[in-house]
């Protein structure tokens, strides 16, 4: 069983920034990623990264969000900039290890003035 622990969420004003972190209890994985889920909506992919640092952003958020990894520390980061109220959601870290997907408990990001 792989454990994931997210941190870094909170309340931020529109236009602000937050840096989210996720520490995994495994040093080997296929891919790590961040998803987010707003109330009443589906859980959507924000960004993903492979062990060699290849990244994928599925939407226009690429310019505001940046995923990075510290592989020796088994830690993945999500830098979020120019935050908007519609970015309010629970942000989840996930990792795929040998085809099995594991989820963290999520960290709340609230963008409000």
């Amino acid at each position: 069983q792989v454990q994931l622990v997210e941190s870094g969420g909170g309340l931020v004003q529109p236009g602000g920034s937050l840096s989210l972190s996720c520490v995994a209890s495994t040093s080997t994985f296929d891919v790590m990623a961040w998803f987010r889920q707003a109330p009443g909506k589906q859980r959507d992919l924000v960004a993903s990264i492979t062990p060699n640092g290849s990244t994928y952003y599925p939407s226009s958020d690429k310019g505001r969000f940046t995923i990075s990894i510290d592989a020796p520390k088994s830690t993945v980061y999500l830098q979020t900039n120019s935050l908007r109220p519609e970015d309010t959601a629970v942000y989840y870290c996930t990792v795929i290890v040998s085809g099995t997907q594991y989820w963290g408990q999520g960290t709340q990001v609230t963008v409000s003035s």
Side-chain angles (χ1 to χ4, degrees):
Q1 185 76 10
V2 175
Q3 306 295 325
L4 298 166
V5 179
E6 301 112 326
S7 61
L11 174 63
V12 62
Q13 293 186 342
S17 300
L18 282 175
S19 180
L20 308 183
S21 301
C22 172
V23 181
S25 63
T26 177
S27 59
T28 60
F29 56 92
D30 303 326
V31 63
M32 293 188 77
W34 288 95
F35 281 70
R36 67 182 181 183
Q37 186 168 23
K41 296 189 176 181
Q42 66 181 21
R43 190 173 297 188
D44 292 325
L45 175 66
V46 176
S48 65
I49 191 165
T50 61
N52 65 4
S54 296
T55 59
Y56 172 72
Y57 302 88
S59 72
S60 59
D61 289 331
K62 179 179 181 178
R64 299 188 298 122
F65 295 169
T66 302
I67 191 170
S68 60
I69 193 166
D70 185 337
K73 295 183 179 179
S74 300
T75 302
V76 64
Y77 305 94
L78 184 70
Q79 178 65 39
T80 65
N81 299 320
S82 302
L83 286 165
R84 307 164 181 165
E86 54 264 39
D87 294 318
T88 296
V90 178
Y91 285 69
Y92 294 92
C93 177
T94 185
V95 64
I96 297 176
V97 180
S98 300
T100 300
Q101 188 168 18
Y102 302 89
W103 294 91
Q105 80 286 353
T107 185
Q108 176 71 46
V109 171
T110 302
V111 185
S112 175
S113 55

